[in-house]
Amino acid sequence: MLITDAAVRETAATLAQSLEGDWILDPEAPADGAAHLISSDGRAISFRPIFGGATVQLWITGNAAPTLLDDATPAELAAHEAHIAARLPEGHRYNKATTLVTDDEEDPAVIILRTLEDHLLPAFEYKPRYVGHRPWIDLFDNALAAVTAERGGLLAATAEAQPVATTEPAPVPEPGPEAVAEPEPEPEPEAEVAPAPERSPQSQEPAGEDHSDDAPTPADESQRGGAPAGGDTQPEAAPNRRPRKRTPKRRPKASSN
């Protein structure tokens, strides 16, 4: 967003309310088309639109250094001298240009305030040595690193001072009897039924033919023939024979005389 010459004073009044401190419009500033703000400690801020209001040129003016008491210690005196050497001297300027054309179409007062806070206001206490130099960022990084190192050393010293608690190792449980899985019974093979031996027709005896009880069997003949003649062996018992039926004799009838 562009800024016109008529809107410069109104933008300066908005900045005076937004800045921290007692900033006001400088009543003694010349009417040169720029806006001038002044603080009670002598610091000054000025800005002027350039390039048709598309860009604004900002600058700050250093104020007098604070005085040091007469009864200051050597340490306080050394710190005061270092502070004077680092700050922007009285009457010296430091400037910064910034564009007002942005994609978000921000208000010029917002862009100017952001540029002052990021690039110009810290330069009152830490003057830059060249364009784009921001020594306050280096100081912050160095201070942060020092604090981190100090805390790390303190934690290390505390850890060394505290006794290290030794923990006894937990007893290892004795291995119990492992459960042995019983093997599953194997299925018994099915018994094979052997086929019945076929009888040959020659071995079958003809039906209705019986051996006589009186006739000796071949086995008996072989046993009789194979037995020794005069040995200690007892004679085999005679085979049982059926008693023969005898026909009764007829008696003669008595004659009657």
Side-chain angles (χ1 to χ4, degrees), residues 210-221 224 239-242:
D210 294 334
H211 292 283
S212 173
D213 295 335
D214 297 337
T217 60
D220 295 337
E221 294 292 336
R224 292 177 182 178
N240 297 329
R241 295 184 179 181
R242 294 180 181 179

Side-chain angles (χ1 to χ4, degrees), residues 235-257:
E236 294 182 359
N240 297 329
R241 295 184 179 181
R242 294 180 181 179
R244 296 181 179 179
K245 293 181 180 182
R246 296 179 179 180
T247 54
K249 295 180 178 181
R250 294 181 181 182
R251 294 179 180 183
K253 292 181 180 183
S255 58
S256 56
N257 292 324

Side-chain angles (χ1 to χ4, degrees), residues 54-71:
T55 305
V56 65
Q57 180 71 34
L58 297 99
W59 68 91
I60 59 174
T61 304
N63 59 339
T67 59
L68 188 64
L69 299 178
D70 296 336
D71 58 348

Side-chain angles (χ1 to χ4, degrees), residues 1 14-15 30 32 59-60 66 85 108 130-131 147 151 170 187 199 205 254:
M1 183 182 293
T14 303
L15 287 174
D32 54 358
W59 68 91
I60 59 174
Y130 47 86
V131 177
V147 171
R151 288 183 178 178
R199 301 177 63 182
E205 298 180 357

Side-chain angles (χ1 to χ4, degrees), residues 126-244:
Y126 307 98
K127 65 181 179 181
R129 297 180 181 179
Y130 47 86
V131 177
H133 180 218
R134 291 188 288 178
W136 52 90
I137 295 181
D138 298 338
L139 290 173
F140 176 78
D141 293 342
N142 295 337
L144 181 61
V147 171
T148 305
E150 183 179 357
R151 288 183 178 178
L154 181 60
L155 292 176
T158 305
E160 292 178 359
Q162 293 180 353
V164 179
T166 58
T167 57
E168 297 181 359
V172 180
E174 297 181 358
E178 298 181 358
V180 180
E182 297 182 359
E184 296 182 359
E186 298 182 357
E188 298 181 359
E190 297 181 357
E192 297 181 359
V193 179
E198 297 181 358
R199 301 177 63 182
S200 59
Q202 295 179 359
S203 63
Q204 295 180 356
E205 298 180 357
E209 185 177 349
D210 294 334
H211 292 283
S212 173
D213 295 335
D214 297 337
T217 60
D220 295 337
E221 294 292 336
S222 62
Q223 289 179 358
R224 292 177 182 178
D232 294 336
T233 58
Q234 297 178 0
E236 294 182 359
N240 297 329
R241 295 184 179 181
R242 294 180 181 179
R244 296 181 179 179

